[in-house]
Amino acid sequence: MSAYKCPWLFQNADLNTVIPNVLRPIRGFAYQRERLELADGDFLDLDWSKTGSNRLAVLIHGLEGSSGSLHVKGMAQQLNQVGWDAVVMNLRSCSGAPNRKVYSYHAGKSDDVLAVLEHVGGAYAKMLLLGFSLGGNLALVTAGRESEALPQNLEAVVAISVPCDLEESSNRWEDHSNLYLKKFMKELKGKVFAKMEHFPELQPLTPKLQVAKTFRDFDDLYTAPIHGFKDATDYYRKSSSIYYLSSIKHPTLLLNALDDPFLSPRCHPTDICAANPHIEFLNPDFGGHIGFAESYWLNRYWHERATLGFLDAHFGSAQ
């Protein structure tokens, strides 16, 4: 459970974070899209990469990401190469098409994950649930809070660069990550402004939303009330995976780098993970946020090797 020592290309958090997620080449890889219609009248777009396997990895991207995020495509490609089919769950409004409802996605919306698992799992002997960042939090919340509702063929969970405590991570963004914060706030607010054309009840939010600068501002104004929470604090408390880790019953790999610029100290829950024999927590010194590059030239990423090693140790080779 101590910091995992590994030689990194960079020992700089920003370089570890930015370069792999902007410049990584992904070649010879493509998806096939399926639209899943949901019971509430909305939809989720699923992007598939199949090899003809009887094992399926269900991937969830992070905040304002998609199946096109380089780390998502890279992981799907690596899983394909060792004999797993992969499907990426594009969260509501993240597939390139706006969702149909006034609400959207959030870090604890486990009902959407359950709907996807139920839809895709019937043809597979074994399934893996794997999430990055916000998607990793969502995977852990689902595994812990919804443990009795999970399909029997879901056999493992992997979560990478996870903001396990949403409130503290939100505060850390405000203190440390100004450029990143501005980028994400622009994207999040833009989607709400676009919704106002179809949902005029959102229009009174305009003056406050225009001046909102932090995730807490946005979550207080939109995420919390639209999704049934009292306020941002209530949303963070009910949707943070740190409160559900002790309830996880599936073999789980949690991987957070100590130099991740977006994670607070409580996002490195060493003691909680040590108390749950189902969780393996790797906490390397370096790696940034979903970076973990060992060699750009050889396309080697440690979080992918760690994931494949975890799967091989628990379930054996798929080939």
Side-chain angles (χ1 to χ4, degrees):
M1 294 301 219
S2 60
Y4 186 90
K5 305 296 183 183
C6 188
W8 303 110
L9 193 61
F10 298 114
Q11 295 187 7
N12 177 282
D14 291 324
L15 290 177
N16 283 333
T17 298
V18 174
I19 294 179
N21 290 295
V22 175
L23 299 179
R24 180 180 182 179
I26 305 291
R27 300 184 178 92
F29 182 80
Y31 293 118
Q32 292 182 326
R33 175 156 291 186
E34 175 192 9
R35 177 156 290 184
L36 171 61
E37 296 289 340
L38 299 171
D40 65 359
D42 213 340
F43 67 91
L44 292 169
D45 283 332
L46 308 178
D47 284 326
W48 288 87
S49 177
K50 295 184 178 180
T51 66
S53 176
N54 68 347
R55 299 182 177 191
L56 175 67
V58 179
L59 279 60
I60 314 174
H61 60 79
L63 181 70
E64 289 303 285
S66 72
S67 61
S69 300
L70 293 181
H71 53 266
V72 176
K73 293 174 73 174
M75 181 66 79
Q77 187 176 53
Q78 290 294 311
L79 288 163
N80 285 169
Q81 289 176 0
V82 296
W84 288 73
D85 282 4
V87 62
V88 185
M89 171 186 174
N90 290 285
L91 300 175
R92 300 188 193 218
S93 80
C94 292
S95 67
N99 68 305
R100 300 172 186 148
K101 298 295 182 178
V102 66
Y103 46 86
S104 184
Y105 71 95
H106 64 75
K109 194 164 175 50
S110 55
D111 56 333
D112 280 358
V113 181
L114 292 176
V116 170
L117 293 174
E118 180 180 0
H119 175 72
V120 303
Y124 291 91
K126 301 178 186 294
M127 284 198 297
L128 161 71
L129 181 61
L130 189 157
F132 299 93
S133 193
L134 177 146
N137 185 82
L138 184 50
L140 294 173
V141 170
T142 303
R145 187 172 65 197
E146 312 288 355
S147 59
E148 301 305 318
L150 294 171
Q152 291 187 350
N153 59 342
L154 179 69
E155 298 204 7
V157 179
V158 175
I160 298 166
S161 297
V162 182
C164 298
D165 188 303
L166 297 173
E167 184 162 27
E168 284 200 1
S169 290
S170 175
N171 294 338
R172 186 174 178 88
W173 277 78
E174 296 174 30
D175 295 339
H176 182 72
S177 307
N178 214 21
L179 291 176
Y180 300 115
L181 182 60
K182 288 181 179 179
K183 172 186 180 295
F184 283 115
M185 285 296 294
K186 181 179 180 180
E187 293 174 2
L188 290 167
K189 291 195 291 184
K191 286 183 177 178
V192 178
F193 288 135
K195 279 182 178 287
M196 289 179 181
E197 181 179 347
H198 304 285
F199 302 99
E201 63 268 30
L202 292 175
Q203 292 178 359
L205 297 180
T206 300
K208 291 183 178 179
L209 197 61
Q210 286 176 332
V211 298
K213 295 182 179 179
T214 68
F215 287 146
R216 180 177 287 276
D217 292 339
F218 181 83
D219 292 333
D220 264 328
L221 287 168
Y222 175 76
T223 309
I226 290 298
H227 295 98
F229 301 100
K230 296 177 184 177
D231 52 24
T233 299
D234 185 47
Y235 161 54
Y236 297 150
R237 174 60 182 82
K238 292 177 179 176
S239 302
S240 291
S241 57
I242 194 170
Y243 301 112
Y244 303 100
L245 292 175
S246 61
S247 300
I248 289 176
K249 301 176 182 178
H250 290 74
T252 296
L253 174 65
L254 172 57
L255 200 167
N256 281 351
L258 286 169
D259 73 336
D260 190 319
F262 306 149
L263 303 187
S264 69
R266 271 172 56 86
C267 295
H268 304 285
T270 303
D271 292 343
I272 297 174
C273 292
N276 185 337
H278 301 294
I279 300 177
E280 180 179 355
F281 179 40
L282 298 183
N283 202 202
D285 292 329
F286 303 105
H289 192 72
I290 327 178
F292 303 105
E294 295 178 305
S295 171
Y296 298 125
W297 298 273
L298 297 176
N299 200 27
R300 287 174 61 88
Y301 290 82
W302 179 74
H303 66 290
E304 293 171 0
R305 290 201 302 112
T307 297
L308 299 185
F310 169 78
L311 294 177
D312 189 59
H314 283 275
F315 309 112
S317 172
Q319 296 181 319

